[in-house]
Structures are given as structure tokens and as C-alpha cells.
Amino acid sequence: MKNTLTKTNIASIHQAMDSTKAPVKKGLIVDVGESLGFARSSIHHAINSIFLKASKRGYYTFPISGVTGELPTSNIPVSAPAALTPAQNFKLATTVASVVDDEIHIPRVDPTYVKWGEFKTVSDILASGIFFPLYIEGMSGNGKTFMVEQACAKAKREYIRVQISPETDEDDLIGGFRLINGETIYQKGPVVKAMERGAVLLVDEIDRSTNKIMCLQGVLEGNPVLLKKTGEVITPARGFTVIATANTKGRGSDDGRYTAASIIDDAFLERFVATIEQEYPAANTEKKILVKHAEKYEVNDAEFIDKLVAWSNVIRKTFEDEAVDEVISTRRLCHIVKSHSIFANRMKSIEMCINRFDSETKDAFLDLYTKIDESANLEEFTQEDETIENVKYNSMVDVP
């Protein structure tokens, strides 16, 4: 006995896959067909008899409307299509929505940014338009994220930044159902939006993730991705690529500096084409960065900037020799310059910005700075004299 798979049946599979016109993997057609209640043998026969082969091996396109014909199924009964799940009913009733794409944007060119290190490497990757997953590793505060953002700004490339935490999961990244204006809508996540727009996806602090991030493994291959909750297949647009930043190489932090850093599955890491090791900038480059930052906050103290660069470089060399456990990052130097714009006091600005360190480390860093900047001692004494004068004045007046 022959069973017939009609064009209507094929249309139901097509509709469940969001009426895609792009070539689709054979296995995906079979999976979707089986989920709708059709026998596997019947689906395979339809693929071989009616579906059109694509140029890429193992991929097929749906036949044009009007295709007819009986499809023998080796006498295996074809069960009636199973009842659709609530998610499938929703999928057939409405289109998959992105809701908003505001998070995808072309970053603004920041006039304070100084091009250095691997900026040209990142820019060349973006200019190529090739899918090139890149992993950038380096200590905190050395400009990894800022570099990617400004490379996108220079190239006028759309960009979306996803901040990773231990709670980040597939729903956050790929998408999920949301209750919006009283309706249940499937909202695409930032990863899918970046794929569709051909944007740069920046996965920031990727080593703060758990195994839940393994949902990106297929994305990192650059192939079409199936949205399991809707059946839609997302094909990456040209220009889409993934850049990840991290403080470690995905092996955790042995020295305890980054306690939240996780060990990332090796199969996941292997999908990144290349890795950049980002160091702190050289002294002359760091000076340029601080000068730009000083201009932004109207700090007119070139000598202070010279002293800060010398101070931070001595601390970093001491850190490399394992004589101290902390380091002064480029970001922290920028914080000090910003503080100086408010207090106009070198020592106070430094102390406020390094108070996060333990007392012993803080005192050692402050003592080192006073040895580099002799005027800092005079500044301290002047501040103490002002405090004494204020105490004297307050004792002479009646306080209500």
C-alpha cells in the first residue's frame, strides 16, 4: 500500500521552518517533519524525489508551489500530523519578532582614543568581511573592549556588546518567549540579531560564563543556526563575526586575581580562529592616552601625567618580579586624572583611586609615588597646614 505525501504536507514543513528560501540541511528537514508527525522514510523519499539539491553538499531547497506526485514509503504507515505544541501554534500564528534593535548600533568615534597595540589587526579583520571568531585575552583595564568598539566606529560597522555573567544562558543570548503588551512574542536575542544584520558581536568577559554558553558553539562555526523554539533557521549575513574578550585564556585564574573566571570547554575555545594577547601599553603610548584624558577633563598638569606613567611602570615591573600582588592599570590611571580634575590635588586623587587595595599595598604605592614626585610631599604638608588653620579658625568662632 502506498501512502501519499502531498504538496500541502510539504507546505506545512515549509511553514514550520518560517518559509525559508535559503538552502536547508537535510537533517533539519527530517527533524521538523518528524516533529509534525510524518514518518522518517516518507520524508527522506520526499527529499530525494521533490526537493531541489543545493550547490552545497547535504543542503536542499523547498520545491516551488504546484509540485505533485505520490511518494512511496516502503509500506510504512504515515501517521497523522501530531497536534502542534503551544510554541508551534504560536509560531504558525505570527512571525518571529525582534521587538527592538536599539542595542545594535555603530559606535561613536571617541576623540580620546589612542590607536595602539592590536588595533590595526582588529581593523583588518573587520574590513575583510570574513567570519573570523577572535579571542582577546589580557589583564583588566588595558583597553580590550574599548579597542574593539573604536575599531567598529572607525570601520562604521554595526556592533552589539553582550556582557557575560554566570547567569547568562541561551534565553539571554539566542532569544525566548516574552510577554509584551499582553501578547506572548518570541524575541530574538542579541546573537541572532547580530547574525541577521551582519554585525560584530562582542562577547565581553566570556570567561565569566558557565556551560550555558555552549549554545554559541554552532554560532562560532559560522553556519546557519536553528532556533529550537520556533524552527526558524538563521543564516548569518555577510560581515557577521564574533569577538570575545577575557582576562584569562579560558583555563581559570591560578593566582586568584580573577576568582570569577571559569574554565571554558576546550571544544568551545577551539572554534576561535585566533587569539590576541593584550598587554598594557608602552610608557610613551600610555602618556598619549593620559594626555587625551586630561584634555577631556581640562586637567592642565603635564608633569603629573609624566609622574603617573613612571609610577605605574615601576609598579608593573615590580609585579612581574612577584614583589607586589597588585598592579596599576591604564584604566586606573585615567580614574586618577579624572579625580584630579575635581580635587586639583595629586596625592588625594591617587589615594582615593587606590583605596580599594589593602592597607599595606596602598601605603607601599603611595610611598613609591612620593619618591618619584618630590612635590607630592610638599603638597601633603600644605594640605595638613590648611587643616590645622581650619581647626584653629573653627575654635575661635561660636558654632550654633
Side-chain angles (χ1 to χ4, degrees), residues 102-258:
D102 293 345
E103 66 268 46
I104 300 181
H105 65 287
I106 298 175
R108 179 181 61 85
V109 174
D110 193 321
T112 67
Y113 182 71
V114 175
K115 300 173 185 176
W116 67 278
E118 300 291 345
F119 178 83
K120 186 177 185 306
T121 302
V122 176
S123 296
D124 288 346
I125 291 171
L126 298 184
S128 73
I130 296 173
F131 180 73
F132 195 94
L134 179 67
Y135 191 101
I136 304 177
E137 175 266 337
M139 294 185 71
S140 176
N142 66 5
K144 301 181 293 295
T145 303
F146 197 20
M147 174 177 66
V148 176
E149 177 194 287
Q150 288 305 299
C152 289
K154 178 192 173 187
K156 294 182 172 52
R157 291 289 308 278
E158 286 191 319
Y159 146 103
I160 183 167
R161 174 180 173 181
V162 178
Q163 195 68 44
I164 300 299
S165 76
E167 302 304 319
T168 304
D169 60 14
E170 183 173 352
D171 194 81
D172 300 317
L173 298 169
I174 304 300
F177 289 99
R178 309 281 187 267
L179 185 62
I180 300 175
N181 296 327
E183 295 184 10
T184 302
I185 296 178
Y186 183 87
Q187 182 179 9
K188 293 176 180 177
V191 174
V192 174
K193 293 178 183 181
M195 292 176 70
E196 291 180 323
R197 296 274 285 267
V200 177
L201 174 67
L202 175 61
V203 185
D204 206 17
E205 307 285 6
I206 196 170
D207 57 350
R208 299 305 192 268
S209 64
T210 63
N211 286 337
K212 297 174 184 175
I213 205 171
M214 293 297 287
C215 63
L216 294 182
Q217 192 150 309
V219 174
L220 289 172
E221 295 172 351
N223 294 323
V225 173
L226 169 67
L227 300 185
K228 293 182 291 187
K229 295 182 179 179
T230 67
E232 183 182 8
V233 177
I234 304 298
T235 301
R238 175 170 171 77
F240 170 69
T241 196
V242 181
I243 300 179
T245 64
N247 296 131
T248 69
K249 292 184 178 180
R251 294 289 181 264
S253 177
D254 293 333
D255 59 9
R257 290 183 58 80
Y258 306 107

Side-chain angles (χ1 to χ4, degrees), residues 24 201 208 279 305 308 317 324 364 376:
V24 182
L201 174 67
R208 299 305 192 268
E279 304 290 341
I305 291 174
L308 285 176
K317 289 176 182 177
V324 294

Side-chain angles (χ1 to χ4, degrees), residues 1 27-28 64 81 86 95 119-120 168 173 187 191 227 231 234 246-247 293 309 318 340 348 353 361:
M1 177 181 177
L28 180 59
I64 60 173
T95 57
F119 178 83
K120 186 177 185 306
T168 304
L173 298 169
Q187 182 179 9
V191 174
L227 300 185
I234 304 298
N247 296 131
H293 216 65
V309 172
T318 308
H340 191 57
K348 182 173 183 177
C353 291
T361 301

